[in-house]
Amino acid sequence: SGKTVVITGATRGLGKSIAEHFQSLGAGLILTGTDKNTVNTLNRALKDKRRTMYFYLDFLKERSVSRFLSDIKSYKTFVQER
């Protein structure tokens, strides 16, 4: 509780299970996935957008990593609140 966790690959499988576990502990979540449609769908479905955010991130694409890092900077307050 009171912490923020970054989890990559959180749209399915093990990453999703890990995200659900940390959410049950009360952590703020910054979650990533490589499928843009899934990320967008999950963002729209979020119940508490103040504590959880999904981002598209593909580590094999430099532009994707740069964009993610830029996006995270814009959520500085979100990260610092935890």
Side-chain angles (χ1 to χ4, degrees):
S1 175
K3 302 291 182 182
T4 299
V5 181
V6 177
I7 302 171
T8 60
T11 57
R12 60 182 174 269
L14 184 59
K16 185 175 181 180
S17 294
I18 292 169
E20 290 168 350
H21 172 72
F22 277 104
Q23 186 176 45
S24 74
L25 297 175
L29 302 173
I30 296 174
L31 309 171
T32 71
T34 57
D35 183 306
K36 289 180 182 181
N37 291 329
T38 302
V39 169
N40 289 336
T41 299
L42 292 169
N43 261 328
R44 283 192 301 273
L46 287 174
K47 294 177 183 167
D48 188 353
K49 294 184 182 195
R50 294 172 300 144
R51 303 199 61 200
T52 304
M53 290 298 302
Y54 275 96
F55 294 91
Y56 168 75
L57 175 61
D58 186 341
F59 282 108
L60 298 176
K61 298 177 181 174
E62 185 177 340
R63 183 174 177 183
S64 174
V65 174
S66 295
R67 175 78 185 251
F68 172 71
L69 294 173
S70 175
D71 288 346
I72 288 299
K73 288 177 185 176
S74 69
Y75 286 94
K76 189 175 184 179
T77 302
F78 173 86
V79 174
Q80 290 179 345
E81 286 178 356
R82 303 287 128 231

